[in-house]
Amino acid sequence: MTHDSSVDSYRLRPIGSVRSPLKRREDCPHQGYDGAPEAWIEIGPAFAAGLDGITPGCEMILLTWFHEARRDVLQVHPRGRTDNPPRGVFATRSPDRPNPIGLHRVEVLEIESPGRIRVRPLEALDGTPVIDIKSILAKSGDG
Amino acid sequence: MTHDSSVDSYRLRPIGSVRSPLKRREDCPHQGYDGAPEAWIEIGPAFAAGLDGITPGCEMILLTWFHEARRDVLQVHPRGRTDNPPRGVFATRSPDRPNPIGLHRVEVLEIESPGRIRVRPLEALDGTPVIDIKSILAKSGDG
């Protein structure tokens, strides 16, 4: 394999962080629909202009960085159950993976102030860095 | 805003790259459904074990790093049309954004060898780094 790019890594800067009642990894549901709570997303003032157009009621995709995940894991038992045969992490949604990016489809419930957004459901831990937010593409159903 | 994490940036390592007939940014459709072509995904040997469980016919989410994007842009005219009023990048799918991560829902067409996967549709440029692959969650429809 060759890379066209001359660098072999990129620097990711958090744009904000998650405020959630989920304080420990073992408290987190596996997915948002597994009973995850509401959470607040706090976006840094330097990035608030990028939120223009996000309104209560809309759905969006939140990308987070699972800062407590293991990056050296390539195979897991799906949903952490050892009776499930091991699978490649890229065929799962395990937080443990080489670049531990979390992908969450959430509904916007409230915008309290520029940069403070209440969403649900969110299975990410309190303090999890937020790295990107995207609109939903209705046409592709990509959520 | 406070961050719980003690670092203010993270290091992202590409796991592979895109091989595509799209060679210039101006040739790329805005979205996969805008007539994007098939492409090959080449995953590095060090990460191939993570692909176990991915088979032809399945759909998956590909995350890429738009290495040619601008990271200092917070507002854009959606779909590059200046008659569309400017919007925050986080309410769009613009590649220009603080952390230029691409999110693509693709179908797996063929697995040629461990680490070489043909997919469609993919609107990313030839040489675009691949940073993660995830399964689709049927239940949440998050694509």
Side-chain angles (χ1 to χ4, degrees):
Chain A
M1 188 189 63
T2 56
H3 286 299
D4 288 350
S5 68
S6 54
V7 295
D8 65 358
S9 74
Y10 296 95
R11 200 166 144 259
L12 203 59
R13 292 165 302 176
I15 61 168
S17 59
V18 171
R19 295 291 149 209
S20 169
L22 298 171
K23 305 293 184 198
R24 299 178 312 166
R25 185 167 167 177
E26 52 271 37
D27 297 335
C28 295
H30 286 282
Q31 302 301 335
Y33 57 69
D34 282 338
E38 295 179 8
W40 287 94
I41 305 302
E42 293 181 353
I43 301 300
F47 302 104
L51 301 171
D52 188 36
I54 293 174
T55 52
C58 73
E59 287 191 299
M60 62 187 194
I61 295 178
L62 198 68
L63 299 182
T64 60
W65 185 262
F66 289 129
H67 58 308
E68 297 201 0
R70 288 181 56 186
R71 303 185 65 172
D72 59 345
V73 168
L74 288 174
Q75 302 226 335
V76 292
H77 295 282
R79 299 182 63 86
R81 290 174 48 174
T82 49
D83 49 333
N84 285 332
R87 271 191 129 181
V89 288
F90 302 130
T92 75
R93 292 296 271 262
S94 167
D96 297 321
R97 52 181 62 238
N99 293 305
I101 296 172
L103 171 61
H104 319 270
R105 182 177 179 145
V106 297
E107 181 190 357
V108 175
L109 299 173
E110 181 185 353
I111 297 178
E112 194 189 64
S113 59
R116 203 169 133 80
I117 306 173
R118 188 161 59 94
V119 301
R120 81 169 160 213
L122 188 61
E123 74 280 16
L125 214 50
D126 185 55
T128 298
V130 174
I131 57 174
D132 199 11
I133 301 175
K134 293 180 187 301
S135 66
I136 304 269
L137 297 175
K139 226 173 177 174
S140 75
D142 75 345
Chain B
M1 188 190 62
T2 56
H3 285 299
D4 289 349
S5 68
S6 53
V7 295
D8 63 0
S9 74
Y10 296 96
R11 199 166 147 260
L12 202 58
R13 292 166 302 174
I15 61 167
S17 58
V18 172
R19 293 295 148 207
S20 169
L22 299 170
K23 305 293 184 195
R24 299 179 312 165
R25 183 164 168 179
E26 52 271 37
D27 298 333
C28 295
H30 287 283
Q31 302 301 337
Y33 58 70
D34 283 337
E38 295 179 8
W40 287 95
I41 306 302
E42 294 181 352
I43 302 299
F47 302 104
L51 301 170
D52 189 36
I54 294 175
T55 52
C58 73
E59 287 191 300
M60 61 187 194
I61 294 177
L62 198 66
L63 299 181
T64 60
W65 184 261
F66 289 129
H67 58 309
E68 298 202 358
R70 288 181 55 187
R71 303 186 63 171
D72 59 345
V73 168
L74 288 174
Q75 301 225 336
V76 292
H77 295 282
R79 299 182 64 85
R81 292 174 47 173
T82 50
D83 50 331
N84 285 331
R87 270 191 131 181
V89 288
F90 302 131
T92 76
R93 291 294 271 262
S94 168
D96 297 320
R97 52 181 62 238
N99 294 306
I101 296 172
L103 171 61
H104 319 269
R105 182 177 179 144
V106 296
E107 181 190 355
V108 175
L109 300 173
E110 182 185 351
I111 298 177
E112 195 190 63
S113 59
R116 202 168 136 79
I117 305 174
R118 188 161 59 94
V119 301
R120 81 166 164 218
L122 188 61
E123 74 279 19
L125 214 51
D126 185 56
T128 298
V130 174
I131 57 174
D132 199 11
I133 299 174
K134 293 182 186 299
S135 66
I136 305 269
L137 296 174
K139 226 173 177 174
S140 74
D142 75 343

